[in-house]
Amino acid sequence: MARFTGLTVRTLHHYEDVGVVVPSRRTASGHRLYDERDLRRLYRVVALRDLGLSLESIRTLLADEVDLAGLLRDQLDHVRRRLSALRALRTRLSTLVDTADSAGDIASTDLLALIEEVSQMEETFANYFSQDQRARLEQRREERGQRVIDAEIAEWPQLIARVQDEMDAGTDPSDPRVRPLARRWTELLESFHGGDEGLRDSLYRMQRENSETIRERHGGPSPEMIAFIERANAAD
């Protein structure tokens, strides 16, 4: 049976011990004998294991004690949560690697401080965006491509600086010089939320409630600058 299925003898013995696949008979010398029904059951166990189900869940399932569809839905939710966590970890690691690469030889104390800062950012982000929203954002990231996203991120400091220059010069928000800046500001925001009202509202709420931290640590816009852009868009 081990040779036929590709499983190890130890695995077959373990399946018997936990009661998911018990051989129908034994020889006089104690060797296990599996019939066709045992083989079909074993294939079911292997298929369910491939879906990530535990042996205990499989045992009760094959005894017709649980609902298969409900069990699979629960497993799908579990997999989605794991994927979301892995995507968040991948984003965090990518940020750390990019920073370390650009900085060259980075001291361990500086790297630990950077890891702490990125973790805090991730925690703050999770407080405002649901798991489903974070999954949609990750899907948008994959669809749009990292190169496009990196270019837009790099554009923000330049755009913020240009808007600040106009504010410092006392330019009226309705001035024709400001309107293209305001339109580009809106385009960059829309590239993030993709027109999804829930994502947009979560983004705006996070900005409002953390504006000082975002401005100090990441060079984000001030509330006055955001109000300036809103007036410019209203006048367009």
Side-chain angles (χ1 to χ4, degrees), residues 3-216:
R3 288 194 300 270
F4 189 72
T5 61
L7 300 172
T8 65
V9 172
R10 183 176 181 179
T11 297
L12 293 175
H13 290 181
H14 181 59
Y15 284 178
E16 180 182 0
D17 291 340
V18 298
V20 293
V21 181
V22 179
S24 299
R25 295 185 295 120
R26 286 179 180 265
T27 65
S29 59
H31 288 93
R32 296 165 177 80
L33 295 175
Y34 298 88
D35 61 17
E36 185 177 346
R37 184 185 62 179
D38 298 332
L39 179 60
R40 288 200 301 270
R41 184 179 177 92
L42 178 59
Y43 275 138
R44 290 174 180 174
V45 170
V46 172
L48 292 170
R49 285 291 283 165
D50 285 343
L51 294 176
L53 299 182
S54 68
L55 289 177
E56 179 60 26
S57 296
I58 293 171
R59 187 184 65 78
T60 55
L61 175 62
L62 294 180
D64 293 328
E65 297 177 3
V66 294
D67 172 51
L68 174 59
L71 186 63
L72 293 178
R73 280 194 295 271
D74 290 343
Q75 182 63 15
L76 179 58
D77 289 340
H78 174 66
V79 170
R80 284 171 173 164
R81 289 192 296 271
R82 288 175 59 194
L83 286 173
S84 178
L86 287 172
R87 290 188 184 107
L89 177 59
R90 183 183 66 180
T91 300
R92 188 180 304 126
L93 287 171
S94 295
T95 301
L96 293 170
V97 169
D98 290 344
T99 303
D101 287 344
S102 61
D105 187 17
I106 183 170
S108 59
T109 53
D110 293 337
L111 182 58
L112 287 173
L114 176 61
I115 291 174
E116 181 180 359
E117 180 178 343
V118 172
S119 297
Q120 290 174 349
M121 288 171 52
E122 185 71 23
E123 182 178 352
T124 299
F125 197 79
N127 289 335
Y128 290 92
F129 293 88
S130 68
Q131 180 179 326
D132 180 63
Q133 286 179 320
R134 295 196 299 274
R136 293 205 300 275
L137 287 172
E138 180 60 28
Q139 183 178 0
R140 280 186 54 75
R141 174 188 292 271
E142 293 176 355
E143 291 174 349
R144 301 181 68 238
Q146 192 61 45
R147 181 176 298 179
V148 173
I149 294 173
D150 288 344
E152 291 175 345
I153 292 175
E155 185 178 352
W156 270 112
Q158 304 170 25
L159 181 59
I160 288 174
R162 292 177 63 189
V163 173
Q164 187 63 57
D165 287 343
E166 296 296 344
M167 292 175 62
D168 292 342
T171 307
D172 190 277
S174 62
D175 190 284
R177 290 181 300 177
V178 178
R179 292 181 182 179
L181 301 178
R183 282 196 296 269
R184 184 54 182 162
W185 188 291
T186 302
E187 290 171 357
L188 289 177
L189 289 176
E190 289 178 349
S191 70
F192 175 84
H193 59 67
D196 186 306
E197 293 184 1
L199 290 175
R200 181 197 61 197
D201 293 344
S202 295
L203 175 65
Y204 289 0
R205 186 164 64 91
M206 183 178 70
Q207 166 62 37
R208 285 196 307 270
E209 297 179 5
N210 300 271
S211 60
E212 184 175 349
T213 300
I214 293 174
R215 185 171 68 256
E216 291 179 353

